[in-house]
Amino acid sequence: GDFVFSTHLAQGAAVDITVHTLPSSPSQLCTVAGGASVMSNGPYAGAFITCSTVSSDATGKILFSSTDGGTVSHVFVLDLDHSTILPITSGPNDDFSPRWSPDHTRIAFVRGGDASSTGVWVMHADGSQGARVSPVSYGGIAWSPDGSRLLVPSGDTVRTVAADGSGTVDVGIMSLSPGTDCLADPVWSPDGATIAGSCTNFDGVTPEQAYLMNPNG
């Protein structure tokens, strides 16, 4: 249906429509399609809002990144117990690939932007006290089972980074040939004794290959 905002926008002005308060009787989650655009000469008819009832069986929190209708990606938390979607990061930089720490008290994510911001960041689960722990990452990061370190792939090298920012150790895969990139998300085994991942050689001939290695490389 129609909705009239209290402030009119001039032709050519930017439009960014989001849902501020989600329906609560019953609890619903809403998505906006076509909410980001530019005003034409007349009523704006490009936005469509779809709301769906939340299943009572759905509980807990989901961590994700989204542009939220804009051009910059940020980290959000979907709280299914309260039918809320809360932004955890903000600002001019792209934030993506968020990962819960094993105890869910911290969030690691990748930030894109200028040289002083780009890299892997760790913050509290509420978005506070964010700090950069590595200036380099291709996006596929993973926590160690004890929550003390992060796996950070970087071309033909995989780094382990202290989650508190105290240090980085390169655990390069020595068997890789030139032109090989390990961009697929590396993971730690549940006991922390092994790192697994996959690598691709861009020569157009060598197939993608899986690897296993010790945490020291």
Side-chain angles (χ1 to χ4, degrees):
D2 294 338
F3 188 90
V4 179
F5 291 97
S6 58
T7 301
H8 287 199
L9 294 178
Q11 182 178 355
V15 178
D16 187 3
I17 299 173
T18 59
V19 177
H20 183 267
T21 303
L22 293 166
S24 58
S25 296
S27 296
Q28 298 181 68
L29 292 174
C30 301
T31 60
V32 180
S37 187
V38 175
M39 280 299 297
S40 59
N41 186 17
Y44 182 73
F48 298 90
I49 300 175
T50 303
C51 297
S52 303
T53 302
V54 180
S55 170
S56 59
D57 295 331
T59 61
K61 296 180 179 180
I62 297 175
L63 185 66
F64 68 99
S65 62
S66 172
T67 60
D68 194 28
T71 58
V72 177
S73 176
H74 288 136
V75 176
F76 296 81
V77 171
L78 165 58
D79 188 336
L80 292 167
D81 296 318
H82 299 92
S83 296
T84 58
I85 300 176
L86 301 175
I88 302 299
T89 65
S90 61
N93 298 302
D94 277 306
D95 300 327
F96 53 93
S97 297
R99 301 286 188 271
W100 292 113
S101 64
D103 61 3
H104 292 132
T105 62
R106 292 167 294 167
I107 296 171
F109 64 97
V110 178
R111 171 164 288 175
D114 55 46
S116 63
S117 301
T118 298
V120 178
W121 288 64
V122 174
M123 61 185 172
H124 289 180
D126 62 1
S128 65
Q129 298 188 31
R132 187 170 70 164
V133 299
S134 171
V136 178
S137 175
Y138 277 84
I141 55 178
W143 287 89
S144 63
D146 63 2
S148 66
R149 305 191 70 79
L150 290 157
L151 283 176
V152 179
S154 176
D156 59 359
T157 299
V158 176
R159 292 180 167 94
T160 63
V161 179
D164 61 3
S166 61
T168 300
V169 176
D170 288 349
V171 289
I173 307 166
M174 299 306 174
S175 62
L176 294 185
S177 59
T180 300
D181 278 323
C182 299
L183 304 181
D185 298 336
V187 293
W188 243 295
S189 61
D191 62 2
T194 307
I195 293 172
S198 61
C199 299
T200 300
N201 190 298
F202 296 104
D203 59 8
V205 178
T206 308
E208 185 174 32
Q209 300 185 33
Y211 65 83
L212 292 172
M213 66 179 182
N214 295 330
N216 62 1

